[in-house]
Amino acid sequence: MTLVWGDGPLKWQDLVAVARHDAELSLSASAWQRIAQGRAIVDEIVASGQIAYGVNTGLGALCNITLADEQLSQLSRNTLLSHACGVGPLLTREQARAILCAAIANYSHGKSGVSAGLVQHMLALLNHQITPQVPSQGSVGYLSHMAHIGLALIGVGEVEYRNQQMPAAQALALAGLAPWRPGAKEGLSLVNGTPCMTGLACLALDDAARLLNRADVTGAMSFEALRGQLAAFDPEVLALKASPGMQISGQRLRQLLGDSPLLAASVGVRTQDALSLRSMPQVHGASRDQFAHAARQIETELNACTDNPLVLGTPGSWRVVSQANPHGESVAMAADLLAIAMAEIGSIAERRLDRLVNPLVSGLPPFLVAQPGVNSGMMIAQYVAASLCAENRQLAQPAVLDNYVTSGLQEDHLSLGTGAALKLLKLLENVWHILAIEYLLAAQALDFHGDAALASGTRRALHRLRAVVANWQQDRWLAPDIAQAVRVLKSTPDLNQP
């Protein structure tokens, strides 16, 4: 599949299709025209000798130092080398590709002043599957991650190519590409803007969207196994609170559970259920509403011009404007908000799965094994889920509220948006595992009730898991079962469909 960007607004799904699913990317003719015009302005500034920040001056706190024409390419190269000082574990392949995609989206507006040749080289990295090796730590919002990507363009550093790690220069040669020689302003543009946090946040949206749907299914399985009271999901009641997300989750839960013989026979067994069961539409729905807000904020940034300075006008009538579009406050806030929302999805799932293993409230064998005592069953799986929830409470602390002073007092308010996006991705991976544990435990609980008693939707979800994970009769190594459940959750578009 090939995607063409540049003629209309981008959706976060467009970036995910390239970064995560390896769609080929190209730009439209109008995008190339905009890029060419922006570059013509930079060429005019250099030729005329007029002073413009970022084009023929030093950077950051060195903005008052003017440079000769012959120094501008060296400045761009030096910018990449000096800024590529990240530390820590490497980003994943899809994370590095997501940042590349967001940077290309930024340049496609033609306001960055980079050349068409540079953007062509970036597209070549994506489409030849050459992935820069990017350390994950060291960004206060921008700079270091993109600098490591810029190194790969100039043939410095390490990349992944053909499933091997190798020097960037070697990979470029094998792909028939020459190292790029950056011109005036290109080094600054390569480390500037918000593509790091925006690209990573788009991946997080993809995970969160799928998790929200999976949570309705695993939650429905737990609800049925615990013989919940469906009256709590009454559409007339839910309509009294005008939350779009709540209506979606309520409808999904009714569809999943509406034809359950077990629940029909359980009407009135208790006056009301615990909140972790009866408040699923409210909690899942609130998280859906926050997801919708975060997606709007992140898509706004994906379609924005985020360089400093920006190049405006025409070669005959131009402006180079120093401003703060690279400040990633909106993405940082969106990532922090989504982290809280998704931590709640994991938290309420852990409360449900805890009820499944507790014979005092479940009406099922202790820890979901037929012969407890000699078997511990699912006892410690709940511990794991509780541990992941505890870690998520730490990861859900807002990053955007942190602040540090950089660049000799020149940059004295920072978004920490890249850190916000990275911790969000880690939190979401924890939620995948929490829901996988609920999936395993709910399936085991439903087995005690028997297939004939189950709703058609939950029965299909149960059978998808049972195709790869057998029912528990006696204790066995549980970690592989959890990993297998994660794979089913991630790879199955909708667990409850035929």
Side-chain angles (χ1 to χ4, degrees):
M1 178 175 66
T2 299
L3 297 182
V4 180
W5 292 1
D7 286 339
L10 296 177
K11 298 290 188 181
W12 61 263
Q13 294 94 334
D14 298 325
L15 185 145
V16 170
V18 179
R20 181 166 273 172
H21 303 300
D22 295 336
E24 192 166 292
L25 179 60
S26 65
L27 296 183
S28 68
S30 59
W32 289 118
Q33 291 170 1
R34 293 192 296 268
I35 292 167
Q37 176 165 295
R39 189 60 188 174
I41 294 172
V42 171
D43 292 341
E44 172 63 23
I45 293 169
V46 173
S48 68
Q50 298 189 61
I51 302 301
Y53 170 69
V55 177
N56 45 22
T57 71
L59 308 179
L62 305 176
C63 59
N64 294 317
I65 298 176
T66 58
L67 302 171
D69 293 1
E70 62 271 13
Q71 295 178 298
L72 299 182
S73 178
Q74 187 63 44
L75 169 63
S76 283
R77 182 180 177 86
N78 287 350
T79 299
L80 298 176
L81 294 169
S82 65
H83 288 50
C85 52
V87 299
L90 296 176
L91 295 182
T92 66
R93 177 180 176 276
E94 64 183 29
Q95 289 169 354
R97 286 172 60 82
I99 294 171
L100 253 174
C101 288
I104 291 168
N106 178 35
Y107 301 149
S108 71
H109 296 286
K111 306 302 184 184
S112 303
V114 301
S115 65
L118 172 61
V119 180
Q120 288 165 351
H121 267 64
M122 297 179 76
L123 286 166
L125 289 188
L126 278 174
N127 294 332
H128 283 85
Q129 311 288 326
I130 300 172
T131 306
Q133 301 291 274
V134 182
S136 59
Q137 296 172 278
S139 174
V140 295
Y142 45 32
L143 302 178
S144 64
H145 291 74
M146 276 299 296
H148 283 274
I149 288 174
L151 288 188
L153 291 166
I154 66 174
V156 177
E158 297 285 311
V159 299
E160 179 195 309
Y161 182 52
R162 296 176 180 174
N163 298 316
Q164 298 180 46
Q165 184 172 321
M166 64 179 69
Q170 179 184 351
L172 293 175
L174 288 172
L177 302 170
W180 180 248
R181 185 176 185 270
K185 195 182 182 297
E186 291 188 326
L188 176 58
S189 290
L190 277 170
V191 301
N192 217 330
T194 59
C196 304
M197 64 184 79
T198 304
L200 295 170
C202 287
L203 294 178
L205 288 174
D206 184 47
D207 279 331
R210 291 183 292 147
L211 282 164
L212 287 165
N213 284 335
R214 306 307 190 271
D216 288 338
V217 179
T218 61
M221 294 173 71
S222 294
F223 187 93
E224 187 174 33
L226 294 167
R227 302 174 69 194
Q229 302 300 293
L230 267 176
F233 306 155
D234 187 305
E236 184 178 356
V237 172
L238 296 188
L240 297 174
K241 184 179 284 192
S243 157
M246 191 172 86
Q247 307 311 314
I248 292 170
S249 283
Q251 181 182 33
R252 283 174 55 79
L253 289 164
R254 290 192 299 272
Q255 289 174 340
L256 282 157
L257 295 167
D259 62 347
S260 169
L262 177 61
L263 295 186
S266 302
V267 173
V269 297
R270 66 185 69 86
T271 304
Q272 67 176 13
D273 296 306
L275 275 169
S276 60
L277 299 174
R278 61 185 158 99
S279 72
M280 274 193 285
Q282 289 79 10
V283 176
H284 291 192
S287 295
R288 285 181 179 276
D289 290 343
Q290 302 316 308
F291 171 89
H293 170 75
R296 284 193 299 271
Q297 297 299 103
I298 293 163
E299 282 189 347
T300 296
E301 198 76 17
L302 181 61
N303 287 281
C305 302
T306 65
D307 273 88
N308 180 42
L310 290 171
V311 175
L312 308 178
T314 66
S317 177
W318 54 265
R319 291 190 298 148
V320 175
V321 184
S322 293
Q323 33 64 48
N325 275 14
H327 199 300
E329 190 81 358
S330 62
V331 177
M333 285 185 176
D336 282 341
L337 178 63
L338 188 56
I340 293 170
M342 297 309 297
E344 280 293 272
I345 291 295
S347 177
I348 194 171
E350 187 278 329
R351 290 293 77 211
R352 293 191 300 258
L353 68 87
D354 177 64
R355 298 186 74 82
L356 290 169
V357 297
N358 186 345
L360 298 178
V361 295
S362 70
L364 297 164
F367 307 106
L368 300 175
V369 283
Q371 294 181 325
V374 66
N375 294 299
S376 296
M378 306 293 183
M379 179 190 297
I380 307 304
Q382 184 267 327
Y383 285 43
V384 176
S387 171
L388 295 172
C389 285
E391 183 178 16
N392 280 355
R393 291 190 188 99
Q394 301 164 30
L395 294 170
Q397 296 300 310
V400 75
L401 295 179
D402 289 330
N403 194 46
Y404 299 90
V405 178
T406 59
S407 194
L409 300 180
Q410 186 74 359
E411 298 184 358
D412 60 352
H413 188 275
L414 306 167
S415 73
L416 283 298
T418 299
L422 284 169
K423 72 180 181 64
L424 170 59
L425 286 166
K426 185 176 182 182
L427 182 151
L428 292 168
E429 191 61 28
N430 287 346
V431 179
W432 281 115
H433 284 82
I434 295 167
L435 290 189
I437 293 170
E438 181 178 30
Y439 194 15
L440 281 174
L441 272 57
Q444 182 75 5
L446 289 175
D447 282 342
F448 284 108
H449 293 295
D451 257 23
L454 307 183
S456 55
T458 53
R459 184 168 60 249
R460 283 191 289 265
L462 169 63
H463 289 175
R464 287 187 183 277
L465 182 65
R466 286 289 171 256
V468 292
V469 177
N471 174 272
W472 269 53
Q473 299 297 323
Q474 294 182 330
D475 281 352
R476 63 174 187 255
W477 187 19
L478 184 53
D481 289 354
I482 295 174
Q484 192 69 266
V486 171
R487 282 190 285 272
V488 174
L489 289 176
K490 286 187 174 183
S491 63
T492 307
D494 206 337
L495 297 173
N496 58 295
Q497 294 303 313

